């Protein structure tokens, strides 16, 4: 992992894996260790992105197809990169993002059972992101039945229901989980897969250990 600039760490996984909680806990630990960092997310890491997020994660699941979705997620990503991620990394600030481009491959390609072309997604990546990649991608892995139940329970307490993808059925979610595992197997130096069917504290310990190993910054001191 490179160290001269900030590190870019992404959290990935299906629904209800606890990504946002774990990201926040990691951000706190880094802060305490004196490492400047920002916590962000896709879609919606910027003001314009928040508007795209509303379109993408609420409402009828069939209101647009996978190609349109991929384009909108990439528009959000471009603004996120240029306005927030790249400037922060240049400053030496670490960036922790709840989802990035692997989500598009997992959801729009594997989730939809490969109905859109991987070539198109590769081209979009090159056009929008170029050679840039996360330094570390942590996949929080959980049985979709457990994750979806958690996520639906959480959404009942939310005023705006962000459940457009949750409503796609188990096959979609099983496909995307398998997709993430395939991506991780192909690029083990960037990915780490952690079992997310654990307590918040246990998973946080696993994440601290992993980030310490990969970044050479010891976050596990008591
Ligand atoms: P989340 O904040 O709960 O992760 O919600 C974001 C939703 O958007 C989630 O269902 C995954 C989905 N998504 C995609 O389908 N493709 C993408 O590229 C991204 C970033 C998210």
């Amino acid at each position: 992992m490179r160290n001269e600039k900030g590190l870019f760490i992404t959290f990935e996984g299906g629904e209800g894996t606890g990504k946002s909680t774990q990201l926040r806990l990691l951000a706190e630990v880094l802060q305490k260790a004196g490492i400047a960092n920002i916590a962000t997310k896709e879609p919606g890491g910027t003001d314009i992105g928040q508007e795209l997020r509303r379109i993408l994660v609420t409402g009828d699941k069939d209101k647009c197809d996978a190609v349109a979705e991929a384009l909108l997620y990439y528009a959000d990503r471009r603004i996120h990169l240029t306005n927030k991620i790249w400037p922060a990394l240049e400053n030496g600030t670490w960036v922790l993002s709840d989802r990035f481009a692997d989500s598009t491959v997992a959801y729009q390609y594997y989730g939809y059972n490969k109905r859109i072309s991987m070539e198109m997604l590769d081209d979009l990546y090159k056009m929008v992101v170029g050679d840039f990649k996360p330094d570390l991608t942590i996949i929080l892995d959980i049985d979709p039945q457990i994750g979806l139940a958690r996520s639906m329970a959480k959404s009942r307490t939310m005023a705006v229901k962000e459940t457009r993808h949750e409503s796609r059925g188990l096959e979609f979610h099983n496909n995307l989980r398998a997709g993430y595992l395939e991506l991780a197997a192909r690029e083990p130096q960037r990915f780490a897969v952690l079992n997310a069917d654990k307590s918040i504290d246990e998973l946080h310990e696993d994440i601290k250990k992993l980030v310490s190993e990969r970044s050479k910054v010891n976050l596990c001191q008591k």
Side-chain angles (χ1 to χ4, degrees):
M1 282 169 100
R2 64 193 163 77
N3 259 319
E4 67 284 2
K5 293 184 182 162
L7 291 187
F8 182 39
I9 301 180
T10 57
F11 283 70
E12 293 284 354
E15 308 297 330
T17 57
K19 286 180 289 90
S20 34
T21 305
Q22 292 300 334
L23 190 149
R24 183 174 45 75
L25 293 173
L26 178 62
E28 283 168 17
V29 168
L30 290 174
Q31 208 65 47
K32 277 190 202 135
I35 297 171
N37 69 89
I38 56 168
T40 187
K41 68 177 176 187
E42 289 195 359
T46 61
D47 289 346
I48 305 174
Q50 277 296 329
E51 297 182 40
L52 292 170
R53 181 178 178 96
R54 186 188 55 73
I55 296 167
L56 282 161
V57 303
T58 66
D60 178 6
K61 69 175 173 38
D62 298 319
K63 69 181 173 184
C64 63
D65 73 356
V67 174
E69 275 178 18
L71 293 170
L72 289 167
Y73 280 113
Y74 264 99
D76 168 72
R77 189 158 298 134
R78 180 70 193 180
I79 301 163
H80 196 201
L81 282 165
T82 55
N83 296 14
K84 197 166 179 183
I85 297 175
W86 285 335
L89 294 173
E90 276 303 315
N91 259 337
T93 300
W94 289 29
V95 176
L96 313 182
S97 185
D98 186 344
R99 300 194 181 282
F100 188 64
D102 299 304
S103 280
T104 313
V105 179
Y107 279 73
Q108 279 65 49
Y109 179 72
Y110 286 106
Y112 283 102
N113 216 355
K114 307 184 183 174
R115 263 187 277 147
I116 68 171
S117 119
M118 191 59 206
E119 247 183 358
M120 185 200 81
L121 290 186
D122 283 343
D123 287 347
L124 269 174
Y125 191 98
K126 274 186 218 118
M127 196 168 71
V128 172
V129 189
D131 294 333
F132 175 75
K133 272 184 186 191
D135 297 291
L136 169 65
T137 297
I138 304 171
I139 296 178
L140 300 187
D141 180 59
I142 202 166
D143 178 339
Q145 260 174 317
I146 302 172
L148 283 169
R150 279 188 189 174
S151 165
M152 290 313 250
K154 189 173 153 200
S155 77
R156 274 186 221 111
T157 64
M158 290 162 81
V160 179
K161 305 275 178 252
E162 295 192 330
T163 51
R164 185 161 169 262
H165 295 297
E166 275 89 335
S167 65
R168 290 193 193 283
L170 204 52
E171 194 190 334
F172 180 93
H173 292 278
N174 284 331
N175 286 343
L176 77 87
R177 180 193 197 188
Y180 271 128
L181 299 179
E182 224 174 284
L183 287 177
R186 242 185 271 150
E187 225 185 315
Q189 67 290 1
R190 172 162 74 90
F191 285 98
V193 180
L194 296 180
N195 173 12
D197 192 8
K198 291 189 170 181
S199 73
I200 290 176
D201 289 347
E202 282 172 320
L203 187 52
H204 176 54
E205 287 305 314
D206 291 348
I207 290 174
K208 277 199 307 193
K209 197 162 155 257
L210 170 71
V211 174
S212 299
E213 281 164 9
R214 299 272 183 118
S215 69
K216 312 277 182 276
V217 175
N218 185 1
L219 301 173
C220 296
Q221 286 153 332
K222 294 281 169 199

